[in-house]
Amino acid sequence: MELHRAGEDYLKAILILQKQNHAVRSMDVAEMLSVTKPSVSRAMKLLREGGFLTMDADKRICLTEAGREAAEQVFEKHRVLTECLVTMGVDPGIAEKDACRMEHLISPETLEQMKIYVGRELAV
């Protein structure tokens, strides 16, 4: 199953919530993404069918290996883009919002060059 922007956003949100040592439920995802619970339910169904997550009997959401890998990739893009924009002088709040949009479009080549740029800037 090919992931679209919304699917990537949901996976990233689940990953972030899990990193906060949090048992993730649909309500948590809805709150984090400012979407309705029915929207989350539809997305969770599609992501389950795509093999990206599972839900236990208590409705806790868990990423599968494929889901974690996809979420980590999107999250890495987000972190690199945010850091690069902030390093260039963009306000952190704006950088965060812009990174959320850019993370879905950036090519692997550009991302690699941005990692190098940010690494050089941080080392100076």
Side-chain angles (χ1 to χ4, degrees):
M1 170 183 164
E2 181 183 333
L3 276 174
H4 297 283
R5 177 184 174 150
E8 289 180 346
D9 287 341
Y10 281 103
L11 291 176
K12 183 178 75 172
I14 294 164
L15 178 69
I16 291 167
L17 289 166
Q18 285 181 340
K19 285 181 182 269
Q20 296 171 348
N21 271 338
H22 199 286
V24 181
R25 298 182 190 276
S26 294
M27 175 187 276
D28 304 318
V29 177
E31 185 177 309
M32 183 173 197
L33 296 177
S34 299
V35 295
T36 64
K37 193 163 180 321
S39 294
V40 174
S41 294
R42 281 190 299 277
M44 296 303 103
K45 180 179 185 275
L46 291 172
L47 290 169
R48 262 193 332 269
E49 290 171 354
F52 294 101
L53 58 86
T54 60
M55 291 182 89
D56 66 17
D58 293 326
K59 302 290 185 186
R60 289 182 298 235
I61 301 166
C62 297
L63 294 172
T64 62
E65 186 175 328
R68 177 166 292 283
E69 185 177 306
E72 291 281 1
Q73 288 174 359
V74 176
F75 191 52
E76 178 187 33
K77 290 177 188 179
H78 181 85
R79 288 190 328 257
V80 170
L81 286 162
T82 301
E83 187 63 37
C84 190
L85 293 169
V86 169
T87 300
M88 293 175 3
V90 177
D91 174 86
I94 294 171
E96 182 79 24
K97 289 177 185 173
D98 286 347
C100 284
R101 291 186 290 271
M102 295 166 65
E103 68 196 23
H104 305 287
L105 305 172
I106 191 167
S107 71
E109 296 81 9
T110 301
L111 182 66
E112 286 306 311
Q113 291 303 312
M114 291 179 104
K115 285 182 195 178
I116 292 167
Y117 171 76
V118 171
R120 283 186 194 145
E121 287 297 312
L122 296 177
V124 171

